[in-house]
């Protein structure tokens, strides 16, 4: 099955992610059919797209002619049957396995099994979604990051039954859209959402333990770690409804492994409806006149950074050991998918694999919590004094 610029691309779901992917495909010259059964949502997507393109023209990022072309390439449809001519359909709807399976089964019938079906899920099993279809070989994961037009990384996730040719065809297509695709195994959270969990989780645990307050932890990760945003700023931006759900999903799918355990402080925010920036309140209060200031204690800052980076590197090492992705793809995924200042495996070499391993061993001994158990790969490399690169 070939895909080229003449292939019609279908998108299911006109939320921020779906409409963002539609924009990317239309900018690459495809005819795009954007479907949603919610008329007001579809109308809003149309208005947002017009506004986004107008801004790009104003900033001279694209010409008016290109803007007009993109608009002409996207059709907004309210009937799912309209997706029949598609060669590829990407689903970007709610993270609910039963609903996704229902949609995929329906899509396969509508497109008469002649179409590649992809899910943009960030944490659900691609194999499980594909099982709803009679031809699971034609189903895979194509996971974009928000906002899709700006973020370069795309995770390509074949399910256990996905045809290798279909995986490679989609990888080539995503490259032709100017994106950076990385191949990863169908495991909970794939590469990015699996490895990134401690950035939020360990920061929240440090806060829950009273080691430092929220602004200080954010300051430490930005000032000492070089991250663009602190973990609490970032979860407030993502939205706790979304971030907590992903954490909970990954934790459950890993059979309640302590390394992915959710935090009570975030659960309470979700229960209160304090989702972050979208509700004006999360870890920070966005209605406050003055922002709270960090306590810029260098020693405390280094302790915070050292603990969080050790946990992140441990996850990256484990993902490599479990063959979730190769060394280069794992580092590329974290720098291009979540804007980390460095690839975690390269960072491990800089800090010292033995140093990271010792830090984790100390935490494991102190807490007696399986959360801090070092990856077997990290242990072996530290013992043999090896580097990742």
């Amino acid at each position: 099955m070939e895909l080229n610029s003449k292939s019609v691309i279908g998108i299911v779901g006109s939320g921020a992610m779906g409409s963002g992917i539609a924009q990317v495909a239309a900018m690459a010259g495809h005819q795009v059919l954007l479907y949603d059964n919610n008329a007001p949502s579809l109308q809003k997507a149309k208005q947002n797209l017009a506004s986004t393109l107008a801004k790009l023209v104003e900033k001279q990022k694209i010409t008016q002619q290109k803007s007009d072309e993109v608009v002409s390439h996207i059709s907004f449809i309210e009937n799912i049957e309209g997706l029949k001519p598609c060669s590829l359909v990407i689903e970007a709807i709610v993270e609910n396995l039963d609903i996704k399976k229902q949609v995929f089964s329906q899509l396969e019938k509508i497109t008469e099994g002649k179409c590649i079906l992809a899910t943009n899920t960030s944490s659900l099993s691609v194999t499980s979604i594909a099982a709803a279809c009679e031809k699971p070989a034609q189903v895979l994961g194509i996971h974009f990051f928000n906002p899709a037009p700006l973020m370069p990384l795309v995770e390509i996730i074949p399910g256990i039954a996905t045809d290798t040719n279909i995986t490679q065809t989609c990888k080539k297509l995503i490259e032709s859209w100017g994106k950076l695709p990385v191949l990863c195994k169908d495991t909970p959270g794939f590469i990015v959402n699996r490895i990134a969990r401690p950035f939020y989780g360990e920061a929240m645990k440090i806060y829950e333990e009273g080691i430092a307050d929220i602004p200080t932890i954010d300051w430490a990760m930005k000032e000492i770690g070089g991250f663009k945003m602190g973990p609490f700023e970032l979860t407030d931006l993502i939205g706790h409804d979304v971030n907590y759900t992903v954490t909970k999903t990954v934790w459950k799918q890993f059979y309640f492994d302590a390394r992915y355990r959710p935090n009570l402080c975030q659960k309470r925010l979700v229960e209160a409806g304090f989702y972050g920036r979208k509700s004006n309140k999360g870890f920070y209060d966005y209605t406050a006149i003055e922002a709270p200031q960090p306590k810029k204690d260098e020693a405390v800052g280094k302790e915070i950074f050292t603990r969080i980076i050790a946990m992140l590197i441990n996850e990256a090492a484990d993902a490599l050991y479990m063959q979730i992705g190769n060394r280069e793809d794992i580092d590329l995924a974290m720098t291009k998918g979540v804007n980390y200042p460095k690839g975690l495996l390269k960072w491990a070499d800089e800090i010292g694999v033995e140093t990271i391993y010792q830090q984790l061993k100390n935490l494991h001994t102190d807490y007696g919590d399986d959360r801090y158990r070092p990856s077997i790969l990290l242990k072996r490399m530290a013992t043999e004094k090896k580097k990742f690169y």
Side-chain angles (χ1 to χ4, degrees), residues 106-296:
Q106 197 178 359
L107 286 169
E108 188 179 45
K109 289 183 182 80
I110 290 163
T111 57
E112 296 170 354
K114 296 172 187 167
C115 174
I116 297 171
L117 302 177
T119 174
N120 185 60
T121 183
S122 58
S123 58
L124 297 173
S125 160
V126 172
T127 300
S128 195
I129 294 166
C133 297
E134 285 177 25
K135 291 184 179 176
Q138 288 174 208
V139 180
L140 78 166
I142 300 181
H143 178 226
F144 287 78
F145 290 79
N146 205 12
L150 296 179
M151 297 302 281
L153 189 84
V154 178
E155 290 176 322
I156 307 282
I157 312 109
I160 202 166
T162 308
D163 185 309
T164 310
N165 292 331
I166 290 208
T167 304
Q168 290 305 322
T169 296
C170 290
K171 187 172 183 274
K172 277 183 201 160
L173 179 78
I174 296 302
E175 277 170 350
S176 77
W177 291 3
K179 298 293 181 187
L180 291 169
V182 293
L183 278 178
C184 49
K185 203 186 268 186
D186 183 17
T187 56
F190 314 128
I191 295 177
V192 173
N193 275 312
R194 173 201 178 119
I195 294 174
R197 297 310 350 126
F199 186 68
Y200 321 111
E202 199 56 25
M204 289 177 208
K205 193 164 188 299
I206 290 166
Y207 162 66
E208 286 174 339
E209 287 175 26
I211 291 166
D213 62 12
I214 286 164
T216 303
I217 297 167
D218 276 350
W219 163 80
M221 294 313 287
K222 288 187 291 182
E223 190 68 27
I224 296 163
F227 288 86
K228 286 183 181 165
M229 292 181 86
F232 296 100
E233 291 172 326
L234 187 54
T235 48
D236 271 3
L237 180 67
I238 294 165
H240 295 286
D241 49 340
V242 176
N243 186 268
Y244 179 69
T245 301
V246 172
T247 300
K248 208 165 59 168
T249 305
V250 170
W251 176 58
K252 282 181 178 174
Q253 288 190 2
F254 272 118
Y255 304 106
F256 307 100
D257 187 329
R259 286 216 308 244
Y260 310 104
R261 190 167 52 229
N263 297 75
L264 202 55
C265 64
Q266 191 176 33
K267 184 174 189 274
R268 290 290 177 263
L269 289 180
V270 173
E271 288 168 348
F274 296 164
Y275 298 145
R277 283 187 177 271
K278 65 173 90 171
S279 63
N280 278 326
K281 196 163 189 183
F283 282 116
Y284 292 98
D285 183 351
Y286 296 93
T287 61
I289 296 159
E290 281 186 44
Q293 293 305 302
K295 296 173 187 73
K296 298 182 179 181

